[in-house]
Amino acid sequence: MGAKMQNRVVDGFTYVSLIGVALVFLLPILWIVRTSFTTKVIAYQIPPKWLIVPTLDNYKAIFEKYPFGQYFINSVGISTISTAIAVLLGGMAAYWISRINWGGDFLRIAILATQMLPPIVMVIPIFLVFKNLGLLDSWISLIITYLSFSLPYMIWLMIGFFETIPKDLDEACEMDGCTKFQAFIRVVLPLAAPGIMASAVLSFLMSWNEFLFALVLTGIKSRTLPVAIANLETQQGVMIAELCAATVLIILPVIFLSLFIQKYLVSGMTMGSVK
């Protein structure tokens, strides 16, 4: 009985600790959701009013006062296109590096070293380049910028995924008459799908949440959601209820995306950890 009681105490302490840690991360999000359904008056009340009557006025307001729908389309389009290109080019580059082994560890370190430069250092040069090309306030400028940061990371990450797939499969495909590209598309790519999906999710989140370059390179036409939220300020101050409603709309696509590919995400994150 003593051992059973001790195990129950340990399990109870573990569950309480896990619940406490979960609440630390969830309470701010739950408070944002709660505030998004309150009126403007209740949102500023101190001490706060816990029992409220939900309202959708804040969600209606952000679409009526601002071109929030266009901002949403901009974020989805830019993040999706940059992620698709990064997965395509990064996958082929990572496959080639993992199979040829040219350059050894030096090439991999060199790819990763491109991420060591602080992004703030590149803001002015990138701005001047796109200004001279006439590409400011366009999707193209953000897509190219995001690719310059996400592509090296994608290559470095996916090398480990492709190394877990035996080279014998490639050789077997070539013996059956396939080219290296056909072996990559038909055999290697489906086997590495969990790892590629995990890399794609990380690349999408990097583009979806990016603020600095979106602030500098965009205007009204191509403005993304992070910049749009930062501009939810009037002469009366920050409209906190509308701000929370906009924040909820930004979080929802990421939650749905994570739930939809959760199985691939979990297996992909562990796929390249063991050779």
Side-chain angles (χ1 to χ4, degrees):
M1 290 297 294
K4 292 183 179 180
M5 182 61 67
Q6 184 177 3
N7 291 334
R8 290 180 180 178
V9 172
V10 172
D11 292 340
F13 178 78
T14 302
Y15 289 133
V16 171
S17 301
L18 291 175
I19 292 173
V21 173
L23 288 176
V24 170
F25 291 98
L26 289 177
L27 281 179
I29 298 177
L30 295 177
W31 186 257
I32 291 175
V33 175
R34 172 260 181 199
T35 306
S36 69
F37 289 103
T38 64
T39 62
K40 299 177 182 179
V41 176
I42 296 178
Y44 286 100
Q45 281 188 354
I46 298 176
K49 183 178 180 181
W50 298 100
L51 298 178
I52 63 171
V53 178
T55 178
L56 296 176
D57 292 342
N58 300 314
Y59 292 91
K60 295 178 182 178
I62 60 176
F63 284 98
E64 293 175 354
K65 295 182 180 180
Y66 315 96
F68 202 79
Q70 182 62 44
Y71 300 154
F72 191 88
I73 293 173
N74 291 339
S75 287
V76 172
I78 292 171
S79 300
T80 302
I81 294 174
S82 62
T83 298
I85 297 175
V87 169
L88 178 62
L89 298 181
M92 291 189 292
Y95 172 73
W96 179 80
I97 294 173
S98 65
R99 290 299 187 261
I100 303 301
N101 289 326
W102 181 82
D105 293 335
F106 173 78
L107 181 59
R108 306 185 187 193
I109 296 175
I111 293 174
L112 188 61
T114 60
Q115 302 297 299
M116 298 180 182
L117 190 65
I120 189 67
V121 177
M122 302 299 297
V123 170
I124 295 178
I126 290 177
F127 173 81
L128 294 176
V129 168
F130 286 121
K131 181 182 179 181
N132 293 331
L133 294 175
L135 294 176
L136 290 178
D137 196 15
S138 66
W139 284 22
I140 297 177
S141 61
L142 281 183
I143 291 173
I144 295 175
T145 302
Y146 292 166
L147 280 175
S148 66
F149 291 99
S150 64
L151 189 57
Y153 176 75
M154 293 282 287
I155 295 173
W156 179 80
L157 188 62
M158 287 193 286
I159 288 175
F161 299 144
F162 288 120
E163 287 182 340
T164 61
I165 301 174
K167 296 181 181 180
D168 296 340
L169 292 176
D170 303 36
E171 298 173 356
C173 291
E174 293 177 13
M175 291 178 62
D176 290 337
C178 292
T179 63
K180 290 186 178 295
F181 183 75
Q182 290 175 332
F184 170 70
I185 294 296
R186 298 180 180 180
V187 178
V188 178
L189 203 59
L191 292 176
I196 294 174
M197 291 293 288
S199 303
V201 170
L202 295 177
S203 176
F204 183 88
L205 292 179
M206 289 171 61
S207 302
W208 183 265
N209 296 323
E210 202 281 325
F211 175 78
L212 178 61
F213 289 95
L215 176 65
V216 175
L217 299 178
T218 65
I220 299 298
K221 185 173 64 175
S222 61
R223 181 173 294 169
T224 57
L225 289 175
V227 180
I229 285 184
N231 290 329
L232 288 179
E233 184 174 0
T234 65
Q235 296 178 350
Q236 300 173 343
V238 178
M239 308 303 292
I240 188 65
E242 296 177 4
L243 178 63
C244 289
T247 303
V248 170
L249 292 179
I250 290 181
I251 295 175
L252 284 179
V254 178
I255 294 176
F256 290 143
L257 178 65
S258 300
L259 292 177
F260 179 71
I261 60 174
Q262 182 179 12
K263 179 179 66 175
Y264 296 101
L265 185 61
V266 173
S267 58
M269 293 301 291
T270 58
M271 182 179 176
S273 60
V274 180
K275 297 182 181 180

